[in-house]
């Protein structure tokens, strides 16, 4: 689980809303937990970068595709 912190003071912040930009990018609108005293709100952009370990199904599909495309002799 991700922990959202204030970029200014690094205290805990709460996601108040989100706006999807694309399938892999979302803007998170956040506010500090004690906005009465501090008043800070911010927008954090979250994006997908890459898999560290691809899903098992993807690996199996890739292997099947490679085997299917091998010459008959191999």
């Amino acid at each position: 689980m991700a922990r959202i912190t204030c970029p200014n003071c690094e205290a805990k912040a709460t996601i108040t809303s989100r706006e999807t930009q694309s399938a892999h990018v979302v803007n998170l609108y956040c506010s500090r937990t004690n906005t009465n005293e501090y008043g800070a709100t911010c927008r954090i952009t979250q994006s997908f970068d890459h898999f560290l370990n691809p899903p098992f199904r993807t690996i199996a599909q890739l292997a099947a595709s490679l085997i299917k495309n091998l010459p008959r002799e191999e």
Side-chain angles (χ1 to χ4, degrees):
M1 176 182 260
R3 181 177 180 176
I4 304 298
T5 57
C6 174
N8 183 54
C9 68
E10 298 182 5
K12 184 178 176 183
T14 302
I15 299 170
T16 56
S17 65
R18 60 183 281 143
E19 179 181 63
T20 301
Q21 296 298 310
S22 69
H24 301 294
V25 178
V26 64
N27 288 330
L28 303 173
Y29 292 86
C30 307
S31 64
R32 273 280 308 277
T33 52
N34 64 345
T35 52
N36 294 338
E37 297 174 21
Y38 189 68
T41 58
C42 64
R43 184 179 84 178
I44 297 173
T45 302
Q46 178 183 16
S47 66
F48 172 80
D49 185 20
H50 65 279
F51 286 109
L52 299 176
N53 294 308
F56 292 125
R57 184 174 178 167
T58 303
I59 295 169
Q61 288 171 337
L62 177 61
S65 174
L66 290 171
I67 292 169
K68 181 180 176 182
N69 292 322
L70 282 173
R72 252 192 179 335
E73 309 81 50
E74 293 183 27

